[in-house]
Amino acid sequence: MAMNSLKDIYLDQLQDIWSANTQSMAVVNELGRAAQDKDLSEALIDGANGINDGINEIAKLCSDHGIAPNAEHCKGMEGLVKEARAHGLSDEITDADVRDAAIIPQYQRMVHYALAGYGTLVAFANRLGLDGDAAVLQKCLDHTYDGDRRMTEIAMKGGVNKDAA
């Protein structure tokens, strides 16, 4: 697609976040199954469910704009997913507490990509006067922030990092 306007960039970025979410959902589920800590496992499973909700919302927005959501492949998330598998699911991590501590930053790196994507999309939608889109994207952004805060709380106030020390 030619990038001749903010609307063109907006549509491209919708496809990018759909691809990013689609790629990250599988590894987030894997991380959730690998986590020993109950709170961490539940947060990851909830995160995967939230990612799925985002995928569905983005697909609807793409459809409303007459584009296919899967026309873009997000290479940034591809790398983050590869890193999450290498550093959160590696067979070389033999201590379950250490694995749990390693999972958190891998998840948060993927979440931070989504935060940047959703934040940008909200700004673009607002600038373009796409109020309905902006409201949907703001909801996705808010849920993503909630998941990030929850993960930080598990790392800081929960026992995950303490148990791995």
Side-chain angles (χ1 to χ4, degrees):
M1 168 189 328
M3 299 292 160
N4 297 317
S5 68
L6 184 60
K7 177 85 180 262
D8 294 338
I9 297 169
Y10 172 73
L11 296 176
D12 177 71
Q13 290 301 297
L14 278 176
Q15 292 168 321
D16 183 82
I17 198 75
W18 184 89
S19 174
N21 283 344
T22 301
Q23 292 178 63
S24 68
M25 190 170 65
V27 76
V28 171
N29 276 315
E30 291 173 42
L31 293 169
R33 288 190 299 272
Q36 168 188 273
D37 182 85
K38 180 181 172 253
D39 291 336
L40 177 58
S41 180
E42 287 176 4
L44 290 162
I45 290 166
D46 289 347
N49 290 334
I51 292 166
N52 189 58
D53 291 345
I55 289 168
N56 291 332
E57 293 292 352
I58 297 300
K60 287 179 200 168
L61 292 177
C62 287
S63 177
D64 291 347
H65 290 284
I67 61 170
N70 61 349
E72 175 79 21
H73 178 74
C74 178
K75 291 187 179 179
M77 187 57 75
E78 180 181 341
L80 292 170
V81 165
K82 184 177 179 182
E83 289 292 309
R85 285 198 171 101
H87 300 290
L89 298 170
S90 169
D91 290 339
E92 294 179 18
I93 303 173
T94 58
D95 183 282
D97 293 323
V98 172
R99 179 179 310 282
D100 284 352
I103 285 171
I104 292 171
Q106 299 310 316
Y107 175 77
Q108 285 190 301
R109 283 183 180 101
M110 291 183 288
V111 166
H112 292 176
Y113 187 96
L115 290 172
Y118 281 128
T120 299
L121 283 165
V122 169
F124 287 172
N126 282 324
R127 174 59 66 191
L128 293 165
L130 302 170
D131 298 337
D133 287 21
V136 168
L137 294 163
Q138 184 65 55
K139 182 180 166 191
C140 292
L141 179 61
D142 292 343
H143 284 252
T144 306
Y145 269 120
D146 290 344
D148 185 53
R149 285 187 205 102
R150 183 177 177 190
M151 198 60 60
T152 297
E153 206 153 297
I154 290 168
M156 302 292 290
K157 295 179 182 174
V160 171
N161 288 346
K162 180 181 167 194
D163 292 344

